[in-house]
Each structure stands twice: as C-alpha cells, then as structure tokens.
Amino acid sequence: MQFRSALVAFGLLLTAALPTHALSEAARKLVEFETQSNAVSKRSKDAILIEHFEIPLDRVEMLWSVFSDREAAQSLTFNKNGKPHVRWLINPEDTKWHLEVAKHLAAQGLDTTRYQYYRAYQSASRSYLIEDPVTGHEFFAKVSTDKTGGNWRDKRQEWKDAADVHNSAVHVQQAIARYRPRHFKYLDESLVFGLKEIDQGMVVRSLEGLGKSGHYYLPGFSALHDRTGRMIALKNGAVSPAKFWETHYVRPLARALAEFFVMTGLAYDSPHSQNFLVELDPELRPTGKIILRDTGDVYVTKPYTEAMGSKFAEIFPKEQSKSNIPASVGLLHGNTKPRWVSENTYNKWGSSFFDEYQKTLARLTGIPQATLIKHSALYGTVIDANLNVGRSGDYIGQNLNIRSEKWSAFLHRLTQDQGFRRPVILLCRELMMY
C-alpha cells in the first residue's frame, strides 16, 4: 500500500511538472454542455488525472486509416525502453472491466502499473475528453466501464465492436472523399485499439480542428435541455424555444441524416440526441450544420452499398443489414422532456423532420417526395398519415422501400459513378460549387 501511494504521488508530481496547455475554449464549452446541460444526470466539468496501463504495441491490436487523428495516435503510442507502447486508458468510473485488463496483463508477465499522464474531462456518457499535457492535443476516447452517465450503465467496449466502428468510419470517410457533405460534419473514429484475447477495445474519436474552428458544438440533448435550450433560443431572438429548435435542430438534423444515408447507405440504429451536435458560431447562433458521431451504431442498406460498389455490408454484422432504409429519429429518447415540449409538439417535430428528410432525399436522388411516401412502410402508430410517419415510444420513423423503378434508376447511377458524387437536383446556391 505504501508503494502504491508513493507511485500515485510520483505520478501526480510528474504530471504537474509537465508543460501545461489550457483546454481550448471550444473544448471547454463542449465539456460544459455535456456535463451541465444534460437533463438525465449532471456530471463534473472539472479536469482529473486519468490513469492508464502501458502495454507493448505488439501485444495490442491497432486499426487506423489515412483519415485517423494522427496526433492522437502519436500521443497514445510512445517508446518506452526502446520499444513501442500504447497508453491503454482506464475509465475513472469503472470498477470492473479494467481489472480484467490487469489480470490479462499479469498473465502475460506484463506491467500492471496504473500510470498517469493525461488530463481528462467527463462527457454525458462513458467517453472522456482527453488532453495531452505536452502537445495540448484534444480527443475523445472510450473504454469499458460498468458505470457511466445517463440511462446507459454497464458499457463494455468490445474489441469486435471497436473493429466495426473502425470499418464504419472508413466507409463514411471514403464517401466524404467523393462528395463533401453540405449538411453535416463528421467526427472520425477510425483509430481503435484492442486486446483481442479478452475482447476489450479502446475507441478514439477525433476533435481535429474544433479548437481553432471558431465554432462551438452543442449536443442535441443540450439543445433540448430545459434551461440551456431556452437560453440559446431567447438569445437568438426567439419567442418559442420549441419553434426555434424545430427550425435549427429538427429540420437540419433531417437534412443531415438524409444526406448521410445517400452518401453512405447507412442509417443510425439508435438515432437519439446523444449522437448529434449542433454547430454554433461564437455568438451561439446555429450555422445550420449538424455534427455526426458514433457511426458504429448503424444499419447498412445492403442493396444500396452494393450498388455503390462497396463491400462494407460483407464485413459489418449481418444483423445490422437491411434491404430498405430504416429511417427514424428519437430526439428525446433516453432523455427528459423540457417544459416547453408537449406531446403534441413532439409529434409535430416528427412530421417536420420527415417532411425535411423526404424533401432532401428527393433533391439528392431525383425521386419525387410523393414516390418516396408511396413506397414507405409505417413505423409504430401513425402520427402523420400524409407522410406515412409513425411513432413507437420516443422514436418516430418510417421504412423506405428502395426497390421501385425510380430507385432502380438512381442505384444504376450510383453504380456508374462508383458512389454518390452529385445531387440530381441542384439548388441555386449549389451551382457555384461544381
């Protein structure tokens, strides 16, 4: 025990002696939103020293791509005694899974010391914002934990899932390389690590560019937070927070997810507001763009990705494969409704979302909105017969069939172009972009 205490004290002194960088204002604001504007559970916004194991790189699986956060990779991998090692993070709230890691390391005759180097900040869930004290680089990382914020508790980060996250991120980034999205930005997750023998993974989410972007990222659940959502709406001159966020979150999210599907053939399987962020300018005004994260939790529409010439459906879990477009949104799923959102308002948001979603699909594919509705199947209990939209719990959605004559023509175009490269119907503001 005395040795352990001395080691921890030494770690504290070592970290304190390292050069320090202030967390960027954009990252600081994101942490504040994540932890203080979360209706399910208020969490700490203060920095802590997060612990990690130091594991030889040749004992760890590592997947990366040309799109990965290079500085995060350089921070997490380092030379020790002339040999490459990985800093394997320990979730500060975990009381279970890191013990399996330590047991595995001990069985391999490897070091089980818990070192300290990074400062870290809580998010609304299990991810931590990590700050390198030497370079100042910022990124998110998640590992297994049996305790976290929100309604999702025991969250084991499996290696197989981490590999799926990597594959999904690469697929998304390849689509972005063909066509720059107009309605969303993407937080890359193609850098992952794993201990295959015990099915443990570590996923890195990039924040590249945020600190110098001049923007803030507002989590969707913070936009719908009773106090914060109202404050930002009123600051922007709105009379009704519900109408403001219908305009600046619900409809932009619909455009983003429709564009995301057309570009990738992917649809979120848990499209709740923890997966999306609203981009704000320095005056807290929405820019119209949505930030997408957590694209490991998706469905893949197999005939669509095959038409793109992609083999992604073959390497992704088969249970996540669909033949149609499973379009849904759970704006307040897993959350607490603000006082300014009634059940009637929530249903109206669902209609607004799918009106915008269908219109965006129509513009990008050239398939009329009426045709999309005609070839759709109801999801749950009907809330809008004109759009054929239904509701189940706090999820609102519909399933879109892509086997009509007009869909076949569009899929043929996808095959010819080897993926999505240009909207079928160009808006005036887009003409200058091509």
Side-chain angles (χ1 to χ4, degrees):
M1 288 297 293
Q2 288 180 339
F3 174 76
R4 167 72 177 150
S5 299
L7 184 62
V8 171
F10 175 73
L12 289 169
L13 289 171
L14 177 62
T15 305
L18 290 171
T20 58
H21 291 258
L23 196 65
S24 70
E25 174 61 16
R28 184 197 66 77
K29 197 68 177 174
L30 177 55
V31 170
E32 182 180 310
F33 286 139
E34 288 267 350
T35 59
Q36 308 302 299
S37 299
N38 172 10
V40 176
S41 64
K42 190 173 182 179
R43 290 163 62 75
S44 172
K45 63 179 180 179
D46 298 329
I48 62 169
L49 287 170
I50 192 170
E51 295 182 318
H52 66 268
F53 297 114
E54 297 185 347
I55 310 174
L57 182 58
D58 60 10
R59 301 295 187 96
V60 177
E61 305 287 335
M62 179 180 177
L63 297 177
W64 60 282
S65 74
V66 294
F67 312 108
S68 296
D69 186 334
R70 186 180 301 273
E71 288 188 67
Q74 291 172 342
S75 177
L76 288 164
T77 57
F78 69 106
N79 282 325
K80 180 178 179 179
N81 300 324
K83 188 174 183 179
H85 280 64
V86 174
R87 293 185 172 108
W88 186 279
L89 298 171
I90 300 171
N91 187 296
E93 298 173 278
D94 178 48
T95 65
K96 175 182 178 182
W97 297 109
H98 73 279
L99 301 178
E100 284 198 6
V101 176
K103 183 178 178 181
H104 169 71
L105 296 178
Q108 302 294 314
L110 299 175
D111 185 9
T112 60
T113 304
R114 293 161 61 157
Y115 296 94
Q116 293 177 328
Y117 173 69
Y118 295 112
R119 282 189 296 270
Y121 303 79
Q122 286 187 336
S123 71
S125 61
R126 61 174 157 163
S127 298
Y128 272 73
L129 194 155
I130 308 299
E131 180 189 12
D132 189 306
V134 175
T135 67
H137 190 65
E138 302 160 346
F139 58 94
F140 273 101
K142 60 181 175 181
V143 291
S144 298
T145 180
D146 62 341
K147 181 183 177 184
T148 185
N151 290 322
W152 297 271
R153 296 296 175 185
D154 195 338
K155 299 277 284 187
R156 181 180 185 180
Q157 179 56 66
E158 299 172 343
W159 162 240
K160 175 61 169 64
D161 176 74
D164 290 337
V165 169
H166 163 83
N167 291 333
S168 181
V170 172
H171 177 75
V172 172
Q173 291 283 27
Q174 288 172 341
I176 291 172
R178 287 189 293 267
Y179 172 77
R180 181 169 57 85
R182 307 298 188 255
H183 302 299
F184 72 86
K185 293 182 178 179
Y186 179 59
L187 299 184
D188 182 78
E189 293 180 314
S190 62
L191 175 62
V192 303
F193 299 86
L195 296 170
K196 192 173 182 178
E197 299 88 343
I198 57 172
D199 198 20
Q200 290 286 330
M202 180 168 68
V203 176
V204 177
R205 179 181 298 147
S206 174
L207 277 176
E208 282 187 297
L210 174 60
K212 299 178 181 178
S213 69
H215 293 117
Y216 295 126
Y217 289 172
L218 176 73
F221 58 78
S222 298
L224 305 184
H225 183 265
D226 189 79
R227 173 181 50 80
T228 302
R230 178 186 295 276
M231 178 273 290
I232 294 176
L234 296 181
K235 179 178 174 62
N236 280 278
V239 175
S240 166
K243 289 182 179 178
F244 178 84
W245 289 115
E246 180 181 353
T247 300
H248 295 289
Y249 176 44
V250 177
R251 285 186 175 273
L253 178 60
R255 292 191 288 270
L257 293 185
E259 183 179 52
F260 177 69
F261 175 81
V262 173
M263 289 175 60
T264 65
L266 307 182
Y268 278 84
D269 67 5
S270 301
H272 52 72
S273 288
Q274 192 159 291
N275 292 328
F276 316 121
L277 306 101
V278 181
E279 185 181 69
L280 305 176
D281 73 8
E283 302 301 318
L284 300 185
R285 294 174 299 207
T287 67
K289 290 197 173 183
I290 300 296
I291 314 302
L292 303 184
R293 60 183 176 184
D294 250 345
T295 54
D297 297 331
V298 292
Y299 292 120
V300 51
T301 301
K302 187 176 181 180
Y304 193 97
T305 54
E306 287 180 339
M308 294 169 61
S310 169
K311 297 185 181 298
F312 178 70
E314 297 177 16
I315 62 173
F316 208 62
K318 286 185 169 46
E319 63 270 19
Q320 297 300 103
S321 180
K322 300 290 181 180
S323 60
N324 57 12
I325 306 175
S328 65
V329 67
L331 295 161
L332 281 164
H333 175 73
N335 211 330
T336 302
K337 287 184 176 64
R339 287 171 292 180
W340 36 270
V341 174
S342 65
E343 283 296 296
N344 184 59
T345 296
Y346 196 68
N347 287 338
K348 184 175 181 297
W349 279 1
S351 295
S352 294
F353 178 94
F354 276 95
D355 178 57
E356 198 70 43
Y357 185 92
Q358 293 164 2
K359 286 177 178 175
T360 305
L361 274 185
R363 181 177 65 82
L364 295 175
T365 65
I367 302 171
Q369 184 178 12
T371 302
L372 294 172
I373 296 170
K374 179 182 178 181
H375 293 282
S376 65
L378 187 64
Y379 174 101
T381 304
V382 63
I383 62 168
D384 191 323
N386 293 326
L387 298 174
N388 203 25
V389 172
R391 177 174 172 179
S392 178
D394 281 331
Y395 277 111
I396 297 171
Q398 63 183 178
N399 292 301
L400 296 163
N401 190 333
I402 65 167
R403 295 194 180 278
S404 68
E405 181 179 340
K406 290 187 180 296
W407 269 111
S408 295
F410 178 72
L411 294 182
H412 178 67
R413 175 185 165 177
L414 276 187
T415 301
Q416 288 184 315
D417 291 347
Q418 296 182 313
F420 182 77
R421 297 183 184 275
R422 183 172 176 172
V424 173
I425 301 172
L426 287 176
L427 299 178
C428 292
R429 65 176 178 270
E430 293 178 320
L431 290 174
M432 299 298 293
M433 297 180 182
Y434 293 94

